[in-house]
């Protein structure tokens, strides 16, 4: 059974810092991994999708890496801003092709001005 | 197309009543997913459709829950005889699966804003 964990559970940093969020999964036979952002009381916004054949993906100040063999992914946020404050979730599919995901519990990020 | 939309955004109902939620996916997306999220947790998968076919249901989807996607476009999720434990955010997502089913043929999933259900 696939299980996804995320550390830390919560993180508070001053504006401008670079930071790393961690995601671990127990079954390394994944086909992709997706990072999402969720603002309080809102739905999820897709940030990055990494296919299993890729090692990393970049979008603006975000960089996500994937190491299937060790069952880990990291989300790197450069030069953090107060607008980055949100909960960040990673997710892996339950099956080969679907996006019936297993989600981690999320990391709640606060960036202080 | 402005993305995945869900209606209503909030629903308060008395225990024992039936409720129905609607999801309109991104128009060209053939896959539609339903998730449930409780406070402080990540979303949990409930069910998904490819076009009008319901391909998988989680064991979380009890007999009181039913989902449909009659014409392969919008979807409804109905909960009968609601219980206080059904209180949660119900999220809908959509994506596109290409005709050749390979892992890379799946596009990223886009989520709606969710329907928050409170059972009193």
């Amino acid at each position: 059974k696939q299980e996804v964990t995320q550390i830390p559970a919560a993180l508070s940093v001053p504006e401008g810092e670079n930071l790393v969020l961690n995601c671990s999964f127990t079954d390394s036979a994944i086909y992709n991994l997706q990072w999402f952002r969720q603002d309080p009381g809102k739905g999820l916004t897709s940030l990055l999708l990494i296919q299993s054949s890729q090692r990393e993906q970049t979008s603006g100040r975000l960089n996500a890496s994937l190491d299937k063999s060790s069952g880990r992914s990291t989300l790197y946020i450069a030069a953090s801003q107060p607008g980055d404050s949100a909960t960040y979730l990673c997710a892996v599919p339950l099956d080969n092709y679907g996006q019936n995901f297993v989600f981690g519990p999320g990391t709640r990020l606060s960036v202080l001005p | 197309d402005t993305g995945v939309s869900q209606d209503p955004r909030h629903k308060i109902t008395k225990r024992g009543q039936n409720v129905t939620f609607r999801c309109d996916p991104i128009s060209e997306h053939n896959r539609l997913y339903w998730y449930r999220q409780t406070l402080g947790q990540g979303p949990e998968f409930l069910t998904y459709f490819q076009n009008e076919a319901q391909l998988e249901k989680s064991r979380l989807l009890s007999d009181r829950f039913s989902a449909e996607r009659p014409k392969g476009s919008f979807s409804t999720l109905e909960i009968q005889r609601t219980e206080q434990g059904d209180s949660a955010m119900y999220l809908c997502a959509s994506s596109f699966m290409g005709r050749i089913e390979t892992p890379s043929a799946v596009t990223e999933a886009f989520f709606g804003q969710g329907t928050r259900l409170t059972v009193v």
Side-chain angles (χ1 to χ4, degrees):
Chain A
K1 178 188 171 187
Q2 179 72 271
E3 295 184 359
V4 180
T5 56
Q6 292 185 246
I7 56 172
L11 183 62
S12 184
V13 300
E15 181 177 5
E17 274 202 8
N18 302 325
L19 53 99
V20 175
L21 308 181
N22 297 290
C23 171
S24 298
F25 43 94
T26 54
D27 185 347
S28 61
I30 65 168
Y31 286 83
N32 63 60
L33 182 145
Q34 196 161 349
W35 281 92
F36 295 89
R37 166 187 173 140
Q38 186 173 34
D39 294 288
K42 306 288 188 181
L44 280 66
T45 300
S46 174
L47 296 174
L48 291 163
L49 167 68
I50 311 177
Q51 301 289 356
S52 63
S53 58
Q54 299 172 320
R55 294 290 298 218
E56 64 180 276
Q57 279 278 20
T58 298
S59 175
R61 294 182 294 107
L62 306 180
N63 175 275
S65 66
L66 175 63
D67 183 345
K68 279 181 57 177
S69 61
S70 65
R72 297 175 63 180
S73 176
T74 61
L75 179 66
Y76 176 83
I77 303 177
S80 58
Q81 303 171 358
D84 295 330
S85 298
T87 296
Y88 290 80
L89 297 142
C90 68
V92 295
L94 277 169
D95 65 23
N96 291 355
Y97 305 117
Q99 281 152 322
N100 36 339
F101 289 119
V102 177
F103 279 87
T107 293
R108 191 172 65 255
L109 173 65
S110 296
V111 180
L112 307 175
Chain B
D1 194 334
T2 57
V4 179
S5 62
Q6 294 188 243
D7 182 71
R9 292 293 309 278
H10 303 275
K11 178 71 176 179
I12 300 175
T13 191
K14 292 183 178 179
R15 188 176 54 187
Q17 298 294 306
N18 300 342
V19 294
T20 300
F21 310 141
R22 176 179 170 125
C23 171
D24 287 89
I26 293 172
S27 58
E28 62 268 27
H29 284 181
N30 52 10
R31 285 202 165 187
L32 186 147
Y33 306 79
W34 285 100
Y35 288 83
R36 180 176 70 185
Q37 185 178 27
T38 52
L39 201 62
Q41 302 297 316
E44 296 173 294
F45 168 74
L46 293 178
T47 187
Y48 88 93
F49 294 82
Q50 176 139 337
N51 300 311
E52 65 276 10
Q54 188 173 17
L55 296 187
E56 187 169 346
K57 294 193 288 186
S58 161
R59 58 182 172 78
L60 294 175
L61 210 67
S62 75
D63 291 344
R64 297 184 297 106
F65 288 70
S66 62
E68 294 182 344
R69 195 183 183 196
K71 297 182 180 179
S73 56
F74 73 92
S75 176
T76 58
L77 178 67
E78 180 183 16
I79 308 174
Q80 296 182 325
R81 305 181 303 281
T82 52
E83 302 172 355
Q84 286 188 319
D86 297 331
S87 296
M89 174 81 88
Y90 289 84
L91 294 162
C92 174
S94 71
S95 67
F96 180 78
M97 166 64 86
R99 292 185 66 183
I100 300 174
E101 292 198 358
T102 63
S104 60
V106 180
T107 65
E108 60 188 300
F110 293 88
F111 280 76
Q113 292 297 298
T115 294
R116 179 165 296 285
L117 173 66
T118 302
V119 182
V120 298

